Amino acid sequence: RIMAKKVLKIVGGVLGALVLIVVIYVVYVMASYYRLDDSLSLETAEPEEGQVESVIELDAGSQGTAQEFTIVSANLGFGAYGPDFDFFMDGGSGSVAPSAQYVSDNVNGSADAIEGLDPDIVLFQEVDIDGTRSHGVDEYALLRNDFPTLCSVFAQNYDSPYLAWPLYAPHGKNKAGMATFSRYQVESTLRRSLPISESFSKFLDLDRCYTISRIAVSDGKELVVFNVHLSAYGADAEVLEGQRSMLFADMQREYEAGNYVIAGGDFNHDMIGVSNEVYGNVTDTEASWAKPFDFASVPEGFVVAAKSEFDAGTFDSAATCRDAGRPYDGTNDRWVMDAFIYSDNVACIEQRTLDLDFAFSDHNPVYLRFSFK
């Protein structure tokens, strides 16, 4: 009987200690949570080499031949998502990249492929600058080195406390954001904080935002570029509607001011609405987290590039995002989630997925070749 009491006392002490640890951890996570203020002005970093063009010069003498420009968007998957990587939040088991070299190779691999398009503007999402999951690799510094002749702007949208899950390989503490690169001077960039869920899921979504970058055009207008990464995990319909409304209100304001407007990024929705059918996905639309985008919410005067092509019967691009619930073997569910939405004073010459077969990320880059009307 005495022995039983001792055992119960020891077990009780251990359980009590575990409960105390959990309580302390929850308090730490909640106390560490913060959001950056809305409407923050961001600094433009000058190129590592040379100087960028101060303005987009439109050649008035080239009648009948529109000048072409190229903008690219790429979600880097924080450098972890090689073909053999899956992610625990998607139903897989992976949480941390295998090594720092693995991360660097993926980031540089994406950058090398994008460089082949000779882009004028590049929009990156999921760029870690210091993370457990990416072994402390400063991916923004890698990109600055990969695109030394472009100016750039970084916007933080993720600074998580230490996530002690999964227990076998904790996701850890991570700081990340979005980066915009340009061969033309970015005169100013504003960071807008998106509405997010106020439930416990906010500790996963953290500090969602988009950026508004301004580039002068020689006709007196501006090219206003939005770098976008909307919510996925834990966001309800009301939050997602609020994010779209806020984004579209800012885009419409610039359009009504006479500017050229392009929004690009990861919209975390099916941007053609029927990806499950197009790519033969196993998961149907109702069961999938990748819901069709609310195309009816797009303001008059704006075009969703991929959806416009699909409606015209000319869409034949590869998917931009794969199911990360298991390693990639070519049969994973796939969707078009990365896309461009542009104002109708911009002419789309070509929009397409840069099909890397998910070699360096769970996303393929997308690009838009365009001219100004």
Side-chain angles (χ1 to χ4, degrees):
R1 186 175 296 176
I2 295 175
M3 179 63 69
K5 285 184 177 179
K6 284 184 176 180
V7 170
L8 287 173
K9 190 174 182 179
I10 292 171
V11 171
V14 171
L15 290 176
L18 289 175
V19 169
L20 181 61
I21 290 170
V22 171
V23 169
I24 291 172
Y25 175 71
V26 170
V27 170
Y28 153 72
V29 169
M30 296 180 70
S32 301
Y33 179 81
Y34 74 99
R35 293 201 71 190
L36 296 175
D37 292 336
D38 187 19
S39 298
L40 288 179
S41 294
L42 303 178
E43 184 177 347
T44 300
E46 296 306 311
E48 298 285 321
E49 299 175 6
Q51 291 182 317
V52 293
E53 300 291 331
S54 60
V55 63
I56 297 176
E57 291 285 353
L58 300 182
D59 184 2
S62 58
Q63 296 297 323
T65 305
Q67 288 174 267
E68 293 187 14
F69 303 90
T70 301
I71 182 171
V72 182
S73 178
N75 183 324
L76 297 179
F78 57 88
Y81 286 84
D84 55 344
F85 187 83
D86 58 15
F87 192 50
F88 74 102
M89 288 187 184
D90 292 322
S93 60
S95 63
V96 177
S99 69
Q101 188 63 53
Y102 185 91
V103 170
S104 297
D105 288 347
N106 281 335
V107 172
N108 291 332
S110 290
D112 287 346
I114 291 167
E115 279 185 293
L117 295 171
D118 191 26
D120 298 287
I121 302 166
V122 190
L123 312 176
F124 290 105
Q125 302 87 40
E126 292 196 22
V127 181
D128 275 16
I129 55 175
D130 185 17
T132 304
R133 64 189 186 180
S134 48
H135 296 271
V137 174
D138 186 342
E139 297 171 7
Y140 180 48
L142 289 181
L143 293 172
R144 295 256 301 148
N145 187 62
D146 288 328
F147 296 95
T149 62
L150 306 186
C151 66
S152 60
V153 181
F154 181 82
Q156 178 182 303
N157 73 344
Y158 192 82
D159 185 9
S160 73
Y162 192 92
L163 181 60
W165 193 263
L167 292 176
Y168 56 82
H171 198 53
K173 181 174 175 57
N174 302 286
K175 184 179 287 189
M178 308 184 298
T180 299
F181 284 75
S182 173
R183 73 167 69 250
Y184 302 98
Q185 184 63 43
V186 175
E187 294 186 322
S188 67
T189 297
L190 192 68
R191 180 193 181 280
R192 297 297 319 273
S193 293
L194 283 162
I196 62 172
S197 173
E198 290 303 314
S199 68
F200 187 79
S201 63
K202 71 182 182 181
F203 295 108
L204 297 177
D205 221 18
L206 295 167
D207 207 8
R208 292 283 182 181
C209 70
Y210 58 85
T211 60
I212 309 172
S213 296
R214 299 179 178 277
I215 301 170
V217 183
S218 63
D219 62 1
K221 301 179 181 182
E222 292 178 313
L223 171 60
V224 184
V225 178
F226 289 70
N227 192 344
V228 179
H229 194 181
L230 301 185
S231 290
Y233 299 111
D236 58 32
E238 185 178 352
V239 169
L240 296 175
E241 181 182 357
Q243 292 186 354
R244 289 191 300 270
S245 296
M246 179 177 169
L247 171 65
F248 288 149
D250 277 346
M251 292 173 64
Q252 200 161 20
R253 189 175 300 114
E254 296 300 335
Y255 176 64
E256 290 171 354
N259 292 322
Y260 308 103
V261 182
I262 301 176
D266 179 2
F267 290 86
N268 266 318
H269 280 77
D270 184 351
M271 298 306 288
I272 58 174
V274 289
S275 289
N276 288 328
E277 290 83 355
V278 170
Y279 301 108
N281 293 343
V282 174
T283 306
D284 64 25
T285 300
E286 291 303 316
S288 173
W289 64 273
K291 304 299 184 186
F293 192 72
D294 182 4
F295 300 104
S297 69
V298 179
E300 186 176 352
F302 286 90
V303 179
V304 180
K307 176 70 161 121
S308 177
E309 266 199 3
F310 183 83
D311 289 345
T314 57
F315 180 85
D316 63 351
S317 287
T320 73
C321 179
R322 70 165 175 92
D323 168 37
R326 61 187 178 91
Y328 181 65
D329 64 4
T331 66
N332 301 52
D333 285 357
R334 289 155 290 159
W335 305 272
V336 174
M337 289 193 175
D338 308 81
F340 294 99
I341 302 175
Y342 59 89
S343 53
D344 61 10
N345 53 6
V346 171
C348 172
I349 298 168
E350 180 188 20
Q351 83 81 34
R352 196 159 189 84
T353 303
L354 179 59
D355 188 4
L356 305 181
D357 201 27
F358 307 107
F360 310 113
S361 172
D362 59 327
H363 290 253
N364 283 320
V366 292
Y367 64 89
L368 175 74
R369 297 197 195 279
F370 66 96
S371 63
F372 299 105
K373 291 184 181 178

